[in-house]
Amino acid sequence: PSGQREGGGDGSTSQETAPTSAYSSPARSLGDTGITPLSPSHIVNDTDPNVSEQQTFLVVVAIDFGTTSSGYAYSFTKEPECIHVMRRWEGGDPGVSNQKTPTTILLTPERKFHSFGYAARDFYHDLDPSEAKQWLYLEKFKMKLHTTGDLTMETDLTAANGKKVKALEIFAYALQYFKEQALKELSDQAGSDFENSDVRWVITVPAIWKQPAKQFMRQAAYQAGLASPENSEQLIIALEPEAASIYCRKLRLHQMIELSSKAAVNGYSASDTVGAGFAQPLAKEHVRRNRQSRTFLVENVIGEIWSELEEGDKYVVVDSGGGTVDMTVHQIRLPEGHLKELYKATGGPYGSLGVDFEFEKLLCKIFGEDFIEQFKIKRPAAWVDLMIAFESRKRAAAPDRTNPLNITLPFSFIDYYKKFRGHSVEHALRKSNVDFVKWSSQGMLRMSPDAMNALFKPTIDSIIEHLRDLFQKPEVSTVKFLFLVGGFAEAPLLQQAVQTAFGDKCRIIIPQDVGLTILKGAVLFGLDPTVIKVRRSPLTYGVGVLNRYVEGKHPPDKLLVKDGTRWCTDVFDKFISADQSVALGELVKRSYTPAKPSQLVIVINIYSSELDNVSFITDPSVKKCGTLRLDLTGTSNTNVPPRREIQTLMQFGDTEIKATAIDIATSKSVKIGIDFLNY
């Protein structure tokens, strides 16, 4: 077949071109040359030989950059069975006990970094309202990466005072802050200075994030100085449910709560495990933690639950956090117990933020949307206070609760409402026909348990519905376990809903310190990144090529005649399909040849699509995500065959994909990372 493809076409635009489409075709734009596939493409499953020569790091630090809260944990490579969770931070909230800090950041009026977490919140809160308007306070900004369709390095975020800031800057500031905190803690512990070069960093992201968001996180980390493009191996971007999965494999029976067995449901009293948000570990666990209770021992064995799993068994990890819920289906590969992703990650924006949003809608219903909008802008610190008060009550919601939940309204809310409307908050509550919310004499909103449960309902319904759809899939029908992890998994209402819907289909398991599961798993992943063996490609990848034009098969508007040869332009030559299994480190190879033999600058454009069936790079779903430019000028032409072979390789790494083009005759090569942000 290769013989039919000779002939020329030299990339320069010529008069014979067919009508151009909206996109620039590889063969038509100036200086950009057509390439054409050499005989049958083949996939070679080599793993890259360079992968094994790994750098050695003294410590692995994982950062869980969450929508609502963030934290880090670390482990020294010398004693990988000890995972240390970051020091407790000053300024925790009443009713919220955890090792993480709120994902909030404060910049000075000059837009310089000021503080992060509780410190940022408290400082902002203490500012005079007239001053506060000048400062830039941001919270829950991670969702922007999920919701922005056309994310770029220039994407903006809006601070509480309505001013815009570059998202990349904010993410870099936050990561830099964690870097400094972690290095400081490590240096204090070691009694000597820790350098950044001693650390392998792991940052977790939702599995359902699109490629641009994952790349954005990596760019922000480079800007924060965690690693550099030249030393990209120092940073691993891990997928949240995968990290959780790795940790769940190590669980012992006393480190989890099983919802499906009778005992656990009877022990389901508020005073027991659930009401305490699993903060009280079982006695056995006490003995195994050190006095600071920040170090968790992960025995280097496969946990009991895991030993019940056999080759080929499947389980679902449902990672429910503040912003998103991610679901991943894994299968066990023995003997090493490697994991294989069976079904591409699904999920959506059904995190606990949905509950906050419902509360805000309820306030709008009672006090009027116009008032709430104004209040947020005019009294941003008081609005933050109100949401903090709601957060601690939100955590007290439980299926069997009978007494009401009281939410303190900040004084400035009551005061500002009176000025705004001319009547009291109490009057508004009486007048609104919201049955479940009353005004208590102590100046609080008093919500019945039903009212609170109603705020959870839309979000929990979305999660259950999504899981139902997932369980319909043939690959998922025979799942043995469901691991419920992430911060929102602490919510008894969610636990009960999952239990009711799926308790008869599989065993439902919640790790004891469920909010830290991902963090600990991410550390384990950093210590041994080879544990995840197979992933599903979220996108279809390919390159734009010229093929011989076939009458009747190719559309006439793709015809290009060059030097008497008829080419079909814009053909999408597929490397890998969406949802295809890809082993980590796997190389996919293709060979091309320049459409015109004398060509010396060879440009290969790489494209991606969320769809499986893509024929042309002009199809609406196709986006350009990389360009390989191989310049062969100045290479000797003595042993170059008439049909020069250009080999193109794509290597599928953690969340990164690298592409390389090699001129076989001269072994000259060029390498790039696929780029979703700059095209």
Side-chain angles (χ1 to χ4, degrees):
S2 56
Q4 308 161 359
R5 290 212 181 119
E6 271 149 38
D10 67 1
S12 63
T13 36
S14 79
Q15 302 317 300
E16 316 138 291
T17 352
T20 31
S21 66
Y23 293 74
S24 64
S25 310
R28 297 201 182 108
S29 50
L30 262 170
D32 188 348
T33 309
I35 50 166
T36 178
L38 272 170
S39 55
S41 318
H42 50 292
I43 293 190
V44 183
N45 290 356
D46 300 344
T47 26
D48 192 351
N50 307 336
V51 172
S52 54
E53 305 160 20
Q54 279 183 348
Q55 281 167 281
T56 47
F57 298 100
L58 296 179
V59 66
V60 169
V61 180
I63 299 174
D64 176 2
F65 192 129
T67 304
T68 43
S69 63
S70 297
Y72 64 86
Y74 57 94
S75 173
F76 294 99
T77 42
K78 280 204 189 61
E79 39 168 13
E81 58 289 339
C82 283
I83 295 178
H84 310 270
V85 177
M86 64 188 224
R87 316 183 222 218
R88 279 208 180 271
W89 299 36
E90 57 300 331
D93 288 332
V96 180
S97 69
N98 61 5
Q99 295 274 12
K100 288 154 104 185
T101 184
T103 309
T104 52
I105 194 166
L106 182 62
L107 308 187
T108 66
E110 297 73 43
R111 297 175 174 248
K112 290 275 163 283
F113 175 80
H114 179 274
S115 47
F116 187 90
Y118 290 116
R121 223 178 56 187
D122 298 347
F123 186 91
Y124 182 60
H125 175 235
D126 295 342
L127 288 168
D128 190 74
S130 59
E131 250 193 297
K133 284 186 200 138
Q134 306 306 312
W135 289 67
L136 293 102
Y137 177 79
L138 292 104
E139 56 176 4
K140 299 172 185 168
F141 47 85
K142 178 177 160 192
M143 273 308 276
K144 182 82 180 202
L145 297 198
H146 180 68
T147 52
T148 306
D150 46 353
L151 187 67
T152 68
M153 306 297 239
E154 301 304 314
T155 297
D156 283 325
L157 298 172
T158 309
N161 62 359
K163 296 209 167 115
K164 299 239 186 281
V165 273
K166 291 272 169 281
L168 191 67
E169 238 160 80
I170 297 298
F171 280 80
Y173 275 144
L175 290 171
Q176 192 176 349
Y177 176 77
F178 278 112
K179 173 184 145 182
E180 283 161 15
Q181 290 293 320
L183 287 175
K184 201 158 108 212
E185 181 173 341
L186 289 167
S187 301
D188 290 352
Q189 243 202 342
S192 61
D193 268 1
F194 247 85
E195 297 297 322
N196 189 58
S197 55
D198 298 330
V199 181
R200 159 169 268 164
W201 296 97
V202 181
I203 299 175
T204 58
V205 300
I208 51 167
W209 268 16
K210 301 248 189 293
Q211 290 294 351
K214 293 174 182 170
Q215 184 187 336
F216 186 91
M217 216 46 166
R218 187 171 273 281
Q219 287 310 125
Y222 290 161
Q223 196 162 320
L226 272 69
S228 62
E230 300 68 53
N231 196 7
S232 60
E233 280 69 45
Q234 190 177 359
L235 168 67
I236 296 175
I237 301 278
L239 304 181
E240 286 162 9
E242 276 185 359
S245 181
I246 293 166
Y247 180 66
C248 289
R249 305 169 29 143
K250 302 267 188 189
L251 286 172
R252 309 302 305 247
L253 289 176
H254 60 263
Q255 293 170 312
M256 54 201 170
I257 294 156
E258 183 162 347
L259 290 184
S260 3
S261 66
K262 280 285 165 281
V265 180
N266 301 342
Y268 202 99
S269 69
S271 62
D272 199 39
T273 47
V274 177
F278 304 145
Q280 305 160 337
L282 310 181
K284 223 166 172 180
E285 179 88 331
H286 269 307
V287 185
R288 298 177 52 250
R289 295 190 178 196
N290 70 5
R291 284 182 305 280
Q292 298 167 296
S293 98
R294 291 193 305 120
T295 301
F296 297 85
L297 293 170
V298 180
E299 294 167 22
N300 203 3
V301 293
I302 297 280
E304 285 108 336
I305 190 128
W306 214 254
S307 50
E308 296 179 28
L309 287 171
E310 293 148 23
E311 165 90 54
D313 274 354
K314 304 168 191 176
Y315 61 96
V316 181
V317 176
V318 179
D319 165 23
S320 43
T324 49
V325 172
D326 257 3
M327 303 170 195
T328 309
V329 185
H330 278 161
Q331 186 177 37
I332 313 292
R333 312 252 306 265
L334 296 175
E336 314 83 0
H338 285 142
L339 307 184
K340 172 180 179 182
E341 187 181 13
L342 267 197
Y343 186 74
K344 70 172 174 228
T346 60
Y350 320 130
S352 59
L353 277 187
V355 184
D356 301 357
F357 181 62
E358 289 298 316
F359 177 60
E360 195 177 313
K361 282 197 335 209
L362 178 69
L363 292 175
C364 288
K365 202 164 154 189
I366 301 171
F367 302 108
E369 205 170 323
D370 53 344
F371 167 70
I372 298 294
E373 285 311 307
Q374 272 304 302
F375 180 70
K376 278 162 105 174
I377 292 166
K378 290 283 193 298
R379 299 280 184 276
W383 173 255
V384 170
D385 267 5
L386 176 55
M387 291 316 278
I388 292 166
F390 174 67
E391 180 68 32
S392 84
R393 298 333 292 144
K394 183 168 98 181
R395 288 170 182 262
D400 47 6
R401 189 181 173 109
T402 50
N403 49 337
L405 296 121
N406 292 323
I407 296 161
T408 313
L409 285 179
F411 171 73
S412 73
F413 185 97
I414 298 170
D415 185 51
Y416 191 70
Y417 184 76
K418 189 148 181 101
K419 284 188 188 132
F420 190 89
R421 283 270 190 265
H423 61 238
S424 70
V425 161
E426 195 178 347
H427 178 82
L429 271 160
R430 268 206 311 273
K431 210 172 64 196
S432 81
N433 39 16
V434 178
D435 298 340
F436 300 126
V437 186
K438 299 276 176 275
W439 178 245
S440 81
S441 52
Q442 300 92 22
M444 296 182 175
L445 281 184
R446 178 175 247 165
M447 292 181 77
S448 73
D450 288 347
M452 181 57 100
N453 296 1
L455 298 181
F456 277 82
K457 196 175 178 328
T459 305
I460 289 179
D461 287 351
S462 299
I463 295 173
I464 298 297
E465 191 184 342
H466 206 102
L467 268 168
R468 280 225 167 85
D469 291 348
L470 189 62
F471 272 92
Q472 298 301 308
K473 305 271 184 284
E475 305 94 319
V476 187
S477 52
T478 52
V479 160
K480 263 201 182 173
F481 292 98
L482 186 153
F483 290 101
L484 198 53
V485 304
F488 196 30
E490 288 172 3
L493 290 164
L494 176 59
Q495 294 173 6
Q496 191 199 42
V498 171
Q499 162 63 30
T500 310
F502 307 105
D504 55 347
K505 292 195 175 53
C506 58
R507 289 173 61 187
I508 296 164
I509 288 171
I510 301 180
Q512 190 96 49
D513 40 347
V514 61
L516 299 172
T517 309
I518 290 163
L519 206 41
K520 296 179 195 170
V523 173
L524 293 169
F525 187 43
L527 292 165
D528 177 19
T530 60
V531 52
I532 301 279
K533 274 289 181 278
V534 177
R535 284 222 178 104
R536 298 271 155 180
S537 174
L539 297 169
T540 298
Y541 292 99
V543 302
V545 300
L546 295 171
N547 271 345
R548 278 306 182 85
Y549 189 83
V550 180
E551 281 303 337
K553 176 182 163 198
H554 291 143
D557 64 339
K558 298 287 181 204
L559 171 64
L560 171 71
V561 183
K562 280 278 165 78
D563 307 336
T565 306
R566 294 161 66 85
W567 296 103
C568 175
T569 65
D570 299 339
V571 176
F572 186 104
D573 190 40
K574 211 187 285 191
F575 262 70
I576 200 150
S577 296
D579 209 21
Q580 195 173 329
S581 298
V582 191
L584 279 195
E586 180 174 329
L587 289 178
V588 181
K589 293 185 186 173
R590 293 271 190 280
S591 288
Y592 300 101
T593 188
K596 185 178 184 186
S598 61
Q599 191 65 41
L600 286 175
V601 176
I602 290 149
V603 176
I604 298 175
N605 285 318
I606 300 172
Y607 297 88
S608 67
S609 166
E610 289 183 23
L611 304 180
D612 257 353
N613 286 331
V614 191
S615 312
F616 295 101
I617 59 170
T618 50
D619 292 0
S621 69
V622 177
K623 292 192 174 65
K624 183 163 161 183
C625 58
T627 300
L628 287 163
R629 193 170 178 281
L630 192 55
D631 189 346
L632 302 174
T633 43
T635 50
S636 70
N637 282 349
T638 45
N639 49 5
V640 176
R643 308 191 60 227
R644 186 167 207 147
E645 182 182 354
I646 307 293
Q647 203 172 61
T648 307
L649 311 160
M650 281 181 93
Q651 184 182 7
F652 295 85
D654 59 353
T655 45
E656 282 197 298
I657 297 159
K658 301 213 168 57
T660 314
I662 307 160
D663 174 40
I664 297 299
T666 60
S667 48
K668 199 167 176 183
S669 73
V670 53
K671 185 172 185 172
I672 56 152
I674 299 283
D675 185 344
F676 294 93
L677 290 173
N678 297 317
Y679 282 96

